[in-house]
Amino acid sequence: MMYYVTKIDDEAYLGRILLNAKSQEAYFHQAKKMIDLAFGEDAVTFVTLNALYQTLGTSDTKETILLSKYAKPYESAIATKYPSATVENYDVPE
């Protein structure tokens, strides 16, 4: 299974997300198209950071975790939490 971390949970930054909703919608729509082409349709699960942590739990994993530009600041924390995982930035042109 592969995961694409979109962003942190919406509730934490609701005001900011509302302001950027259109640009984020376009960004993630483009990301979905690129990821489907690169890895196959529905091969990658789109998740928020909290959903990733809830899904994988506390034990190490060998999953591939791709990061959007919104999740990139958490790369080190994710790599530390899951040292055997492949953690990569996967930004899309806007």
Side-chain angles (χ1 to χ4, degrees):
M1 174 76 57
M2 293 178 67
Y3 296 94
Y4 181 72
V5 182
T6 56
K7 54 193 170 187
I8 60 172
D9 284 339
D10 293 351
E11 299 83 31
Y13 293 94
L14 186 57
R16 183 174 163 202
I17 285 173
L18 290 175
L19 290 173
N20 298 320
K22 281 288 188 201
S23 65
Q24 286 185 3
E25 181 181 334
Y27 177 88
F28 291 125
H29 179 74
Q30 181 65 21
K32 173 81 170 129
K33 288 196 306 188
M34 289 178 61
I35 287 170
D36 283 351
L37 281 173
F39 302 105
E41 197 167 324
D42 299 325
V44 178
T45 302
F46 279 53
V47 294
T48 63
L49 183 60
N50 270 353
L52 177 75
Y53 287 162
Q54 289 174 357
T55 300
L56 297 180
T58 57
S59 57
D60 196 11
T61 182
K62 293 185 180 196
E63 304 288 357
T64 298
I65 302 169
L66 306 173
L67 306 176
S68 74
K69 70 178 184 179
Y70 302 104
K72 186 177 179 180
Y74 302 95
E75 179 178 11
S76 178
I78 294 168
T80 299
K81 187 171 181 97
Y82 306 112
S84 297
T86 301
V87 181
E88 300 175 356
N89 291 310
Y90 196 87
D91 201 6
V92 296
E94 295 185 67

